[in-house]
Amino acid sequence: MITLATKYDPKAVESKWYEYWESHGLFKSVPDGREPYCIVIPPPNVTGVLHMGHMLNNTIQDILIRHARMQGKNALWVPGTDHASIATEAKVVNRLAEQGITKRDLTREQFLEHAWAWTHEHGGIILKQLRKLGASCDWSRTAFTMDEVRSESVLKVFVDLYEKGYIYRALRMVHWDPKAQTALSDAEVEHKDEKSKLYYLRYYVADDDMTGETGAEGEVVRRDAQGRRYALVATTRPETIMGDTAMCINPKDPKNQWLRGKKVIVPLVNRVIPVIEDRYVDIEFGTGCLKVTPAHDPNDYMLGKTHNLETIDIFNPDATISAASPLYVGMDRVECRKQISQDLEAAGLMEKVEDYENKVGYSQRNPDTVVEPRLSKQWFLNMKHFAEIALPPVMNDELKFFPSKYKNIYKVWMEGIQDWCISRQLWWGHRIPAYYLPTANEDEEVYVVALTEAEALEKARKIPGYENIQAADLRHDENALDTWFSSWLWPISLFDGINHPGNDEIKYYYPTSDLVTAPDIIFFWVARMIMAGYEYAGDMPFRNVYFTGLVRDSLGRKMSKQLGNSPDPLKLIDKFGADGVRMGMMLCAPAGNDILFDEALCEQGRNFNNKIWNAFRLVKGWEVADIAQPEHSRLAVQWFHAVLDKTIAEVEDLYSKFRLNEALMAVYRLFWEEFSAWYLEIVKPAYQQPIDGKTMEATLYFFDILLRLLHPFMPFITEELWQHIAERNDGESIMQARLPKPGDPDTAMLAAMAQAKEIISGVRNVRSVKNLPPRDLLCLQAVGEFDSPVASIIIKLAGLENIIAVAEKDAASAAFMVGTQEFAVPLAGNIDVEQELAKLEADLKHAQGFLAGVEKKLANERFVANAPEAVVALERKKQVDAQSKIATLTAAIAALRK
RNA sequence: GGGUGCUUAGCUCAGCUGGUUCAGAGCACCUGCCUUACAAGCAGGGGGUCAUUGGUUCGAAUCCGAUAGCGCCCACCA
């Protein structure tokens, strides 16, 4: 007999088994004749570290992968990392800043050297951390969005889309991140409500003759103390007045008719600008006068275009005031706002300031940075075609979203889709494969798009006038592509399906099975992968998308460094074991809801590990002897087979619906309640007594099956125990064990045990209330006929001497009811009559109330006439049962009162 | 501003097409137990007018409408 510690120690086993799995190649997958099951990992940032979001996301993926593997599928989980253009470049820039180097001091090549150094230094840390969690990825396939295969894929796709006419270059108002100094896509801007100010500024009428006209009816003419007339303009951004090139009124606005055709003077700047008219202006807002700054507002840009206005860009790329501005040159925009409002005030040009709430766009990657609308030339992808191919399969459930509520969100986005700005003014990323040719005119652009410089040269020479151009004359586009322009190919490029379409791997693994990701990247990533999937692999990239929730703390707050409410996953693993943490995550992870993470749940996970461990200790401690199998054990085995059949079917159903937390809860209860609290207690031999062979064999079989059911959730402890349950060969693993197919559950047996449990609970309750010692054997009286197929189990677990059917129970006894039958434990006179009466009367009252409800229903003619027969019959049965129960209780009370 | 979802025990959630003895689970809580597998445990127990309000129906947590609160997505009104 082996002696094992009473507490399970995860540290001793986790690394051992991970190494075992890896060294025996158990995570590896190559195409074969089996059904494939594939997940591609949402690639974490290459320089990132594991946080709770990864923890949740990857636990779920590992559960799905391990489950599929145990179903006999060829399971493949492909790992990798993302180059995360903006985020990584920002980190490198920060590190260089610490060394006193700015990006501008370096050439592109030098900067990239630093970036690669950083990547190699920090890259892959997160993948090592995933191993601690037990992630069963095929590490031999680890990919990087900027490795050779992926890079080539990205460039090929760019060239292809350009040639198909979907990619174009245009001068547009784009979102500009002044910190990263790059354009962003619409999706990378997050709007936040902000308390700001509305400044009312005086725009004096130019060359005012100050004639005394008061204007037509409804006109509002403003004059200062000297009688000079002015328009009052409301703005949230006074610092942009340096870029004003017009003031706009609505032609239908009666208040401002007098301004038609006039010119006004921009305050402080003293530039004279025309008053234009456009119905775009909201008459009700502010004073109905809008200042027009075409370079710094999308609407104003549009007005500028229609009215042929000059565009003055007063910002540098870093959002300091540019030399194009007459004032405040070099000042930061935030400073400038403060300064200019003071100066306007001092000059008497600011009439009032109101509190105002509006939405301000922030850069997703630089959360403190307000994005600036900026006119610039960028590369765009026309999205219309892609929306058309990607919307239908989701709407008709060929490709399923879990939970399905995201379908609608997806639909709305697709239907209102905007072109995607794919160029970034960054170096870290895939360089855009466009080559510019020298032109006489600086504003004119001639370029070719080609995979390589050689091809570009070839193409360039076909352009009339450029027949003799040399490689040195080509200027490679400086921009990099949006990170998501590589991620959207991930499910294809991982199998090299862009460079080698139709290769064996892509044919076998694509479409992949399930994608597990957070909903915040549904547009960035999920939607675009679906687009690329249909465009480049002719099919959906995955069959199901499981959207996890966001991990929050137990108070529902987002996890953040400032709040300090974000636990370090590795510390948690250290404290509770990977299995415990995995379980803790899953316990609070109902599909699609936010996760309110609480460390207490990991504790629950750890406790469960310990429970399994101790159940194992118990079973392993039994000595087998050549003795007959007791009746109760025989029945328990029969019953537990039924429980397994039922639960396995339930669990499989829950998996298919991605209700993993419920699947876990089902196996948790199966192990703790049914197996440990009931089954083991039934078959457990008396202290130091041996067990019969049949029961032992069945028990070990059950334990084995339970471990298999638990394995996807808790891979380490289950492997450890599975290896101990029976002799295993080197290289064998529970990972490869199959889940049994459930049979039809023996419902009669399940019903019999359900009743038996109630009876046992009844007796235990009597013991508890009457303070009867647990070891004293009791006698149980069943009033009327009694016949249970599992009576021997009741006798054992309730601690009974026997069960006897009696016509009338002892007067001095504690009674309880199970269904319609009364049971009693004779108490040899020491009963508290009052207490007993109170209990019976409470039961009686309840039964009477119940009966009244049922009878009221039955008295309702319309119910009897309209309800289905079965429902009415059921009500009648309830009536009869309640009546019999009332009779029993009344008799019992009368007997006690004697 | 436009959509959309949610509101069931102290907490986190189940409850599918309305009817299985007047709502279930886990955790938390209360009581009693250190009973040789496990106190990271065992046994027992309490706790909900299913947000509010109209309606449909013989019958509503479940269907429909309104209200309130919370959340999410989208959006260039200064």
Side-chain angles (χ1 to χ4, degrees):
Chain A
M1 185 167 132
I2 41 169
T3 47
L4 296 164
T6 61
K7 294 209 175 6
Y8 170 64
D9 178 15
K11 280 193 198 107
V13 306
E14 293 188 348
S15 54
K16 173 182 78 182
W17 290 115
Y18 201 88
E19 275 162 35
Y20 177 89
W21 295 328
E22 233 189 325
S23 65
H24 286 90
L26 296 171
F27 303 153
K28 281 214 167 73
S29 167
V30 288
D32 61 20
R34 290 175 293 165
E35 183 189 339
Y37 176 89
C38 180
I39 294 180
V40 298
I41 204 168
N45 289 2
V46 64
T47 59
V49 289
L50 204 66
H51 59 60
M52 295 306 287
H54 295 123
M55 204 71 176
L56 171 73
N57 183 255
N58 289 293
T59 297
I60 292 169
Q61 290 175 72
D62 196 47
I63 289 167
L64 293 174
I65 279 283
R66 286 179 185 271
H67 175 247
R69 209 178 269 128
M70 294 178 84
Q71 285 179 312
K73 295 179 184 166
N74 184 351
L76 168 63
W77 184 10
V78 195
T81 49
D82 190 285
H83 66 284
S85 189
I86 293 190
T88 307
E89 178 145 336
K91 283 181 193 169
V92 175
V93 166
N94 285 343
R95 182 158 84 158
L96 289 171
E98 283 166 21
Q99 302 166 12
I101 305 170
T102 67
K103 195 179 154 189
R104 247 160 292 184
D105 298 337
L106 303 174
T107 63
R108 185 184 188 108
E109 285 65 36
Q110 287 171 325
F111 179 83
L112 288 177
E113 255 172 58
H114 284 284
W116 278 110
W118 172 264
T119 299
H120 291 136
E121 197 177 314
H122 293 258
I125 288 180
I126 196 160
L127 300 181
K128 289 205 180 70
Q129 293 177 322
L130 283 177
R131 289 168 164 90
K132 290 258 184 265
L133 183 63
S136 58
C137 303
D138 182 349
W139 299 108
S140 68
R141 293 172 177 268
T142 305
F144 178 45
T145 52
M146 249 169 70
D147 62 22
E148 231 172 277
V149 171
R150 267 47 68 176
S151 295
E152 195 186 332
S153 307
V154 167
L155 299 187
K156 270 202 169 142
V157 163
F158 184 95
V159 173
D160 181 65
L161 291 175
Y162 176 76
E163 283 169 358
K164 285 175 176 162
Y166 295 134
I167 284 180
Y168 62 95
R169 191 163 156 76
L171 181 69
R172 287 265 179 93
M173 190 64 92
V174 295
H175 298 292
W176 183 265
D177 178 335
K179 192 169 174 204
Q181 298 194 33
T182 176
L184 301 173
S185 66
D186 299 347
E188 286 165 298
V189 179
E190 284 172 353
H191 295 275
K192 289 185 206 163
D193 272 315
E194 199 138 289
K195 286 199 174 83
S196 64
K197 307 265 185 220
L198 197 55
Y199 303 83
Y200 286 80
L201 310 183
R202 287 181 179 181
Y203 283 58
Y204 279 98
V205 172
D207 306 321
D208 193 5
D209 56 10
M210 292 170 63
T211 48
E213 77 203 64
T214 50
E217 205 185 328
E219 277 193 351
V220 179
V221 181
R222 295 170 203 276
R223 291 176 187 275
D224 69 4
Q226 286 78 45
R228 287 178 300 176
R229 293 178 296 174
Y230 62 89
L232 196 58
V233 172
T235 180
T236 53
R237 302 201 58 191
E239 70 278 13
T240 63
I241 63 171
M242 281 94 76
D244 285 357
T245 52
M247 194 189 87
C248 190
I249 57 170
N250 190 312
K252 296 206 165 155
D253 185 354
K255 299 193 294 292
N256 293 320
Q257 289 297 318
W258 65 280
L259 283 164
R260 295 180 89 155
K262 296 229 164 22
K263 288 185 187 305
V264 293
I265 303 165
V266 181
L268 292 182
V269 178
N270 294 327
R271 181 188 302 133
V272 175
I273 55 172
V275 173
I276 59 169
E277 295 168 45
D278 197 291
R279 296 180 57 183
Y280 163 74
V281 176
D282 181 353
I283 296 173
E284 301 304 317
F285 189 90
T287 56
C289 295
L290 173 74
K291 69 185 212 60
V292 183
T293 320
H296 302 293
D297 183 280
N299 300 305
D300 293 11
Y301 177 63
M302 175 201 79
L303 286 173
K305 268 191 148 175
T306 29
H307 297 271
N308 260 321
L309 300 176
E310 192 190 346
T311 297
I312 305 173
D313 187 348
I314 60 150
F315 287 134
N316 292 314
D318 64 353
T320 55
I321 306 299
S322 76
S325 164
L327 301 164
Y328 309 111
V329 175
M331 196 181 276
D332 181 77
R333 60 182 166 164
V334 180
E335 285 294 296
C336 184
R337 180 178 301 180
K338 284 183 204 151
Q339 188 62 50
I340 199 168
S341 65
Q342 279 175 26
D343 294 348
L344 285 162
E345 177 87 63
L349 293 165
M350 188 156 74
E351 196 154 306
K352 58 175 173 174
V353 181
E354 285 176 353
D355 285 329
Y356 188 67
E357 195 158 294
N358 65 343
K359 302 270 183 166
V360 178
Y362 282 82
S363 168
Q364 187 202 28
R365 289 290 159 202
N366 284 314
D368 302 327
T369 307
V370 174
V371 298
E372 200 63 58
R374 184 160 205 258
L375 197 57
S376 71
K377 212 159 203 186
Q378 302 289 344
W379 292 92
F380 293 90
L381 176 60
N382 185 329
M383 298 299 273
K384 203 160 168 291
H385 159 72
F386 294 97
E388 276 164 14
I389 58 175
L391 183 56
V394 172
M395 294 323 289
N396 64 26
D397 286 328
E398 274 171 61
L399 194 170
K400 291 196 190 69
F401 281 5
F402 293 85
S404 60
K405 65 179 176 183
Y406 290 107
K407 265 171 78 173
N408 198 35
I409 292 173
Y410 181 83
K411 177 169 178 262
V412 170
W413 189 75
M414 283 292 182
E415 287 174 346
I417 199 146
Q418 299 293 311
D419 285 359
W420 177 12
C421 174
I422 52 174
S423 46
R424 297 290 177 275
Q425 286 63 58
L426 300 169
W427 283 338
W428 180 243
H430 305 278
R431 193 169 181 178
I432 291 181
Y435 298 82
Y436 299 89
L437 312 183
T439 54
N441 182 344
E442 217 176 275
D443 293 338
E444 194 193 348
E445 268 185 357
V446 178
Y447 57 85
V448 291
V449 169
L451 210 49
T452 62
E453 197 182 60
E455 283 175 37
L457 192 61
E458 211 174 296
K459 283 185 178 170
R461 285 180 176 159
K462 290 189 179 133
I463 300 172
Y466 290 97
E467 289 82 357
N468 297 315
I469 195 164
Q470 296 302 307
D473 298 325
L474 295 178
R475 185 172 56 79
H476 194 167
D477 194 304
E478 287 294 330
N479 295 327
L481 285 160
D482 182 1
T483 299
W484 301 103
F485 194 86
S486 58
S487 332
W488 77 325
L489 305 176
W490 193 240
I492 309 173
S493 64
L494 282 177
F495 302 108
D496 209 3
I498 299 287
N499 302 322
H500 301 100
N503 71 61
D504 288 348
E505 290 243 318
I506 192 108
K507 276 202 312 221
Y508 183 73
Y509 292 113
Y510 193 96
T512 67
S513 309
D514 302 328
L515 178 81
V516 181
T517 190
D520 55 347
I521 52 175
I522 181 170
F523 306 133
F524 283 112
W525 195 45
V526 180
R528 289 169 182 164
M529 277 192 287
I530 296 171
M531 296 171 171
Y534 283 99
E535 184 74 12
Y536 286 103
D539 203 348
M540 60 185 81
F542 24 73
R543 299 178 201 284
N544 303 296
V545 182
Y546 174 107
F547 289 105
T548 66
L550 244 49
V551 183
R552 296 168 177 276
D553 71 5
S554 58
L555 300 172
R557 300 173 304 183
K558 277 193 182 175
M559 291 198 166
S560 75
K561 278 182 190 159
Q562 287 100 323
L563 285 173
N565 60 351
S566 179
D568 176 352
L570 295 180
K571 283 195 184 134
L572 288 176
I573 289 177
D574 199 50
K575 194 165 167 194
F576 301 106
D579 289 333
V581 179
R582 287 168 67 113
M583 182 162 161
M585 294 269 17
M586 292 314 296
L587 277 173
C588 59
N593 283 9
D594 280 355
I595 314 309
L596 272 64
F597 180 80
D598 191 335
E599 211 177 284
L601 293 163
C602 294
E603 200 177 324
Q604 195 186 342
R606 181 200 58 184
N607 294 354
F608 185 43
N609 278 307
N610 206 45
K611 185 72 189 177
I612 299 168
W613 178 256
N614 277 295
F616 173 76
R617 282 179 61 225
L618 172 69
V619 173
K620 264 310 199 188
W622 290 338
E623 213 136 333
V624 180
D626 188 12
I627 51 174
Q629 183 180 38
E631 173 73 357
H632 54 76
S633 293
R634 187 184 64 77
L635 291 165
V637 169
Q638 197 186 333
W639 165 71
F640 200 75
H641 271 293
V643 172
L644 267 185
D645 283 334
K646 181 166 158 275
T647 312
I648 291 171
E650 278 170 12
V651 168
E652 287 306 309
D653 180 57
L654 291 167
Y655 266 109
S656 73
K657 293 173 178 151
F658 291 94
R659 300 176 78 144
L660 302 184
N661 71 318
E662 288 176 58
L664 170 59
M665 194 44 74
V667 292
Y668 174 81
R669 296 185 61 202
L670 172 67
F671 193 95
W672 203 310
E673 287 296 315
E674 306 290 25
F675 185 65
S676 299
W678 291 106
Y679 175 84
L680 289 180
E681 290 302 327
I682 299 169
V683 303
K684 183 158 89 177
Y687 183 56
Q688 289 190 333
Q689 295 301 301
I691 193 164
D692 67 278
K694 272 187 175 172
T695 305
M696 185 63 170
E697 192 188 346
T699 304
L700 289 173
Y701 168 78
F702 291 147
F703 214 119
D704 191 320
I705 300 304
L706 288 167
L707 290 175
R708 294 178 201 209
L709 281 168
L710 289 164
H711 180 259
F713 301 100
M714 291 180 284
F716 295 107
I717 188 173
T718 49
E719 182 76 271
E720 170 76 11
L721 297 184
W722 193 77
Q723 298 277 350
H724 279 101
I725 284 244
E727 284 289 312
R728 312 286 180 192
N729 296 320
D730 184 48
E732 261 191 291
S733 164
I734 189 172
M735 275 181 64
Q736 300 166 311
R738 299 287 296 269
L739 290 170
K741 287 254 179 309
D744 285 333
D746 179 345
T747 49
M749 190 48 156
L750 290 172
M753 256 311 274
Q755 189 209 23
K757 285 177 180 177
E758 281 193 62
I759 297 168
I760 294 162
S761 286
V763 177
R764 284 174 175 171
N765 186 16
V766 170
R767 267 190 210 278
S768 174
V769 173
K770 305 293 174 196
N771 269 320
L772 303 178
R775 296 240 174 87
D776 287 6
L777 294 185
L778 303 174
C779 174
L780 181 64
Q781 298 180 331
V783 181
E785 299 285 308
F786 179 70
D787 179 29
S788 167
V790 292
S792 60
I793 289 178
I794 300 173
I795 289 172
K796 176 164 184 192
L797 288 194
L800 301 178
E801 211 174 313
N802 53 16
I803 306 174
I804 40 173
V806 293
E808 219 173 292
K809 64 174 199 277
D810 277 20
S813 63
F816 60 91
M817 294 202 71
V818 171
T820 57
Q821 184 158 34
E822 190 181 25
F823 292 86
V825 177
L827 291 170
N830 65 21
I831 66 155
D832 182 336
V833 177
E834 286 309 312
Q835 197 183 13
E836 206 61 23
L837 268 175
K839 185 175 152 253
L840 289 172
E841 270 162 2
D843 284 356
L844 180 63
K845 202 176 160 200
H846 183 263
Q848 284 167 335
F850 178 73
L851 180 64
V854 172
E855 288 185 331
K856 190 179 160 205
K857 226 178 196 181
L858 285 169
N860 182 338
E861 280 173 35
R862 291 193 294 177
F863 169 71
V864 179
N866 292 324
E869 230 171 277
V871 174
V872 178
L874 186 69
E875 289 303 314
R876 291 203 201 284
K877 180 168 186 304
K878 285 186 199 171
Q879 183 184 28
V880 174
D881 287 351
Q883 282 164 344
S884 112
K885 190 167 179 176
I886 288 167
T888 308
L889 288 166
T890 313
I893 290 166
L896 267 181
R897 286 221 167 105
K898 258 194 277 189

PDB file of all heavy atoms in Angstrom, chain A residues 758-772:
ATOM      1  N   GLU A 758     -33.266  10.556  -0.854  1.00  0.00           N
ATOM      2  CA  GLU A 758     -34.178  11.358  -0.027  1.00  0.00           C
ATOM      3  C   GLU A 758     -34.438  10.680   1.311  1.00  0.00           C
ATOM      4  O   GLU A 758     -34.502  11.334   2.351  1.00  0.00           O
ATOM      5  CB  GLU A 758     -35.512  11.571  -0.755  1.00  0.00           C
ATOM      6  CG  GLU A 758     -35.451  12.662  -1.803  1.00  0.00           C
ATOM      7  CD  GLU A 758     -36.837  13.058  -2.258  1.00  0.00           C
ATOM      8  OE1 GLU A 758     -37.617  13.549  -1.407  1.00  0.00           O
ATOM      9  OE2 GLU A 758     -37.156  12.837  -3.443  1.00  0.00           O
ATOM     10  N   ILE A 759     -34.592   9.365   1.255  1.00  0.00           N
ATOM     11  CA  ILE A 759     -34.837   8.643   2.503  1.00  0.00           C
ATOM     12  C   ILE A 759     -33.614   8.746   3.423  1.00  0.00           C
ATOM     13  O   ILE A 759     -33.725   9.018   4.616  1.00  0.00           O
ATOM     14  CB  ILE A 759     -35.189   7.158   2.215  1.00  0.00           C
ATOM     15  CG1 ILE A 759     -36.491   7.088   1.405  1.00  0.00           C
ATOM     16  CG2 ILE A 759     -35.315   6.368   3.516  1.00  0.00           C
ATOM     17  CD1 ILE A 759     -36.802   5.719   0.823  1.00  0.00           C
ATOM     18  N   ILE A 760     -32.462   8.557   2.829  1.00  0.00           N
ATOM     19  CA  ILE A 760     -31.229   8.639   3.621  1.00  0.00           C
ATOM     20  C   ILE A 760     -31.087  10.025   4.248  1.00  0.00           C
ATOM     21  O   ILE A 760     -30.779  10.174   5.433  1.00  0.00           O
ATOM     22  CB  ILE A 760     -30.001   8.299   2.738  1.00  0.00           C
ATOM     23  CG1 ILE A 760     -30.056   6.826   2.303  1.00  0.00           C
ATOM     24  CG2 ILE A 760     -28.690   8.591   3.485  1.00  0.00           C
ATOM     25  CD1 ILE A 760     -29.177   6.495   1.111  1.00  0.00           C
ATOM     26  N   SER A 761     -31.372  11.062   3.427  1.00  0.00           N
ATOM     27  CA  SER A 761     -31.312  12.419   3.956  1.00  0.00           C
ATOM     28  C   SER A 761     -32.295  12.617   5.090  1.00  0.00           C
ATOM     29  O   SER A 761     -31.997  13.270   6.086  1.00  0.00           O
ATOM     30  CB  SER A 761     -31.631  13.435   2.860  1.00  0.00           C
ATOM     31  OG  SER A 761     -30.557  13.542   1.993  1.00  0.00           O
ATOM     32  N   GLY A 762     -33.469  12.009   4.919  1.00  0.00           N
ATOM     33  CA  GLY A 762     -34.481  12.115   5.965  1.00  0.00           C
ATOM     34  C   GLY A 762     -33.974  11.549   7.277  1.00  0.00           C
ATOM     35  O   GLY A 762     -34.112  12.167   8.339  1.00  0.00           O
ATOM     36  N   VAL A 763     -33.392  10.377   7.191  1.00  0.00           N
ATOM     37  CA  VAL A 763     -32.873   9.744   8.408  1.00  0.00           C
ATOM     38  C   VAL A 763     -31.737  10.569   9.005  1.00  0.00           C
ATOM     39  O   VAL A 763     -31.670  10.797  10.212  1.00  0.00           O
ATOM     40  CB  VAL A 763     -32.389   8.301   8.112  1.00  0.00           C
ATOM     41  CG1 VAL A 763     -31.776   7.677   9.366  1.00  0.00           C
ATOM     42  CG2 VAL A 763     -33.544   7.448   7.604  1.00  0.00           C
ATOM     43  N   ARG A 764     -30.858  11.048   8.122  1.00  0.00           N
ATOM     44  CA  ARG A 764     -29.728  11.851   8.616  1.00  0.00           C
ATOM     45  C   ARG A 764     -30.219  13.118   9.299  1.00  0.00           C
ATOM     46  O   ARG A 764     -29.639  13.588  10.281  1.00  0.00           O
ATOM     47  CB  ARG A 764     -28.802  12.215   7.463  1.00  0.00           C
ATOM     48  CG  ARG A 764     -27.931  11.057   7.015  1.00  0.00           C
ATOM     49  CD  ARG A 764     -27.152  11.445   5.782  1.00  0.00           C
ATOM     50  NE  ARG A 764     -26.225  10.407   5.376  1.00  0.00           N
ATOM     51  CZ  ARG A 764     -25.548  10.429   4.223  1.00  0.00           C
ATOM     52  NH1 ARG A 764     -25.717  11.436   3.375  1.00  0.00           N
ATOM     53  NH2 ARG A 764     -24.736   9.450   3.927  1.00  0.00           N
ATOM     54  N   ASN A 765     -31.280  13.663   8.739  1.00  0.00           N
ATOM     55  CA  ASN A 765     -31.851  14.863   9.330  1.00  0.00           C
ATOM     56  C   ASN A 765     -32.361  14.574  10.738  1.00  0.00           C
ATOM     57  O   ASN A 765     -32.118  15.330  11.683  1.00  0.00           O
ATOM     58  CB  ASN A 765     -32.982  15.380   8.437  1.00  0.00           C
ATOM     59  CG  ASN A 765     -33.520  16.707   8.930  1.00  0.00           C
ATOM     60  OD1 ASN A 765     -32.882  17.374   9.735  1.00  0.00           O
ATOM     61  ND2 ASN A 765     -34.681  17.066   8.456  1.00  0.00           N
ATOM     62  N   VAL A 766     -33.029  13.428  10.863  1.00  0.00           N
ATOM     63  CA  VAL A 766     -33.511  13.035  12.184  1.00  0.00           C
ATOM     64  C   VAL A 766     -32.339  12.916  13.157  1.00  0.00           C
ATOM     65  O   VAL A 766     -32.372  13.440  14.265  1.00  0.00           O
ATOM     66  CB  VAL A 766     -34.282  11.692  12.099  1.00  0.00           C
ATOM     67  CG1 VAL A 766     -34.578  11.153  13.494  1.00  0.00           C
ATOM     68  CG2 VAL A 766     -35.568  11.883  11.302  1.00  0.00           C
ATOM     69  N   ARG A 767     -31.293  12.290  12.686  1.00  0.00           N
ATOM     70  CA  ARG A 767     -30.103  12.149  13.518  1.00  0.00           C
ATOM     71  C   ARG A 767     -29.579  13.511  13.963  1.00  0.00           C
ATOM     72  O   ARG A 767     -29.232  13.730  15.115  1.00  0.00           O
ATOM     73  CB  ARG A 767     -28.984  11.475  12.719  1.00  0.00           C
ATOM     74  CG  ARG A 767     -28.921   9.996  12.881  1.00  0.00           C
ATOM     75  CD  ARG A 767     -27.627   9.512  12.231  1.00  0.00           C
ATOM     76  NE  ARG A 767     -27.775   8.166  11.721  1.00  0.00           N
ATOM     77  CZ  ARG A 767     -27.670   7.068  12.481  1.00  0.00           C
ATOM     78  NH1 ARG A 767     -27.413   7.170  13.765  1.00  0.00           N
ATOM     79  NH2 ARG A 767     -27.832   5.868  11.961  1.00  0.00           N
ATOM     80  N   SER A 768     -29.530  14.395  12.986  1.00  0.00           N
ATOM     81  CA  SER A 768     -28.973  15.708  13.259  1.00  0.00           C
ATOM     82  C   SER A 768     -29.829  16.476  14.260  1.00  0.00           C
ATOM     83  O   SER A 768     -29.334  17.030  15.238  1.00  0.00           O
ATOM     84  CB  SER A 768     -28.857  16.475  11.940  1.00  0.00           C
ATOM     85  OG  SER A 768     -28.462  17.792  12.162  1.00  0.00           O
ATOM     86  N   VAL A 769     -31.140  16.473  14.017  1.00  0.00           N
ATOM     87  CA  VAL A 769     -32.039  17.227  14.881  1.00  0.00           C
ATOM     88  C   VAL A 769     -32.130  16.602  16.273  1.00  0.00           C
ATOM     89  O   VAL A 769     -32.162  17.300  17.280  1.00  0.00           O
ATOM     90  CB  VAL A 769     -33.444  17.319  14.229  1.00  0.00           C
ATOM     91  CG1 VAL A 769     -34.443  17.950  15.178  1.00  0.00           C
ATOM     92  CG2 VAL A 769     -33.357  18.115  12.938  1.00  0.00           C
ATOM     93  N   LYS A 770     -32.148  15.281  16.313  1.00  0.00           N
ATOM     94  CA  LYS A 770     -32.308  14.596  17.599  1.00  0.00           C
ATOM     95  C   LYS A 770     -30.977  14.293  18.274  1.00  0.00           C
ATOM     96  O   LYS A 770     -30.946  13.628  19.309  1.00  0.00           O
ATOM     97  CB  LYS A 770     -33.060  13.268  17.406  1.00  0.00           C
ATOM     98  CG  LYS A 770     -34.391  13.395  16.722  1.00  0.00           C
ATOM     99  CD  LYS A 770     -35.383  14.143  17.579  1.00  0.00           C
ATOM    100  CE  LYS A 770     -36.663  14.386  16.792  1.00  0.00           C
ATOM    101  NZ  LYS A 770     -37.520  15.418  17.400  1.00  0.00           N
ATOM    102  N   ASN A 771     -29.905  14.748  17.641  1.00  0.00           N
ATOM    103  CA  ASN A 771     -28.591  14.490  18.223  1.00  0.00           C
ATOM    104  C   ASN A 771     -28.307  13.023  18.458  1.00  0.00           C
ATOM    105  O   ASN A 771     -27.803  12.639  19.500  1.00  0.00           O
ATOM    106  CB  ASN A 771     -28.442  15.241  19.543  1.00  0.00           C
ATOM    107  CG  ASN A 771     -27.850  16.608  19.299  1.00  0.00           C
ATOM    108  OD1 ASN A 771     -26.951  16.753  18.469  1.00  0.00           O
ATOM    109  ND2 ASN A 771     -28.381  17.594  19.977  1.00  0.00           N
ATOM    110  N   LEU A 772     -28.659  12.187  17.500  1.00  0.00           N
ATOM    111  CA  LEU A 772     -28.385  10.763  17.654  1.00  0.00           C
ATOM    112  C   LEU A 772     -26.970  10.479  17.156  1.00  0.00           C
ATOM    113  O   LEU A 772     -26.571  10.966  16.109  1.00  0.00           O
ATOM    114  CB  LEU A 772     -29.387   9.945  16.840  1.00  0.00           C
ATOM    115  CG  LEU A 772     -30.859  10.209  17.187  1.00  0.00           C
ATOM    116  CD1 LEU A 772     -31.766   9.388  16.281  1.00  0.00           C
ATOM    117  CD2 LEU A 772     -31.124   9.877  18.652  1.00  0.00           C
TER     118      LEU A 772
END
